[in-house]
Amino acid sequence: ELWISLEEHQDALELIMSKYRKQMLQLLQGRKGEDAEPVLKVHQANSLEIESQIDRICEMGEVMRKAIQVDDDQFFNVQEKLAQLELENKELRELLSISKESFEVGREDLPD
């Protein structure tokens, strides 16, 4: 009789514990859903903020690329103009030296 009573008692405890575990699992799952909702909302808000910041960074990067392109174009234009002016200066100096030589030759040919 004791043996049967012990088995019945163990069966009753197993039934109680299984129901307890089932209720605790449901309670934890319910809390997880409730706890997760505010965290999810904060996460979504942060994601939107990060996305907007990424968009702004991309826009700034594009503006910087355009500024660099404009700056490079200006630099090449200045370099080209400088090269043209140097060439023109060299040619003018050659013309001036030719002119001086011809003036000195013409001056030598003149009687005193």
Side-chain angles (χ1 to χ4, degrees), residues 10-27:
Q10 285 178 343
D11 289 341
L13 280 175
E14 284 182 30
L15 179 65
I16 291 170
M17 288 304 295
S18 69
K19 286 187 176 186
Y20 172 77
R21 287 185 197 111
K22 184 178 177 181
Q23 286 179 350
M24 289 303 294
L25 182 62
Q26 288 174 347
L27 181 64

Side-chain angles (χ1 to χ4, degrees), residues 1-15:
E1 283 181 22
L2 280 172
W3 189 258
I4 293 173
S5 175
L6 180 63
E7 286 181 0
E8 287 177 356
H9 183 68
Q10 285 178 343
D11 289 341
L13 280 175
E14 284 182 30
L15 179 65

Side-chain angles (χ1 to χ4, degrees), residues 9-57:
H9 183 68
Q10 285 178 343
D11 289 341
L13 280 175
E14 284 182 30
L15 179 65
I16 291 170
M17 288 304 295
S18 69
K19 286 187 176 186
Y20 172 77
R21 287 185 197 111
K22 184 178 177 181
Q23 286 179 350
M24 289 303 294
L25 182 62
Q26 288 174 347
L27 181 64
L28 288 175
Q29 286 177 348
R31 275 192 186 165
K32 285 182 182 177
E34 291 173 7
D35 291 343
E37 190 172 323
V39 173
L40 182 61
K41 287 181 182 178
V42 169
H43 178 69
Q44 287 173 342
N46 287 343
S47 295
L48 291 173
E49 184 178 337
I50 290 171
E51 186 176 327
S52 71
Q53 288 177 353
I54 289 171
D55 290 341
R56 286 183 58 215
I57 289 170

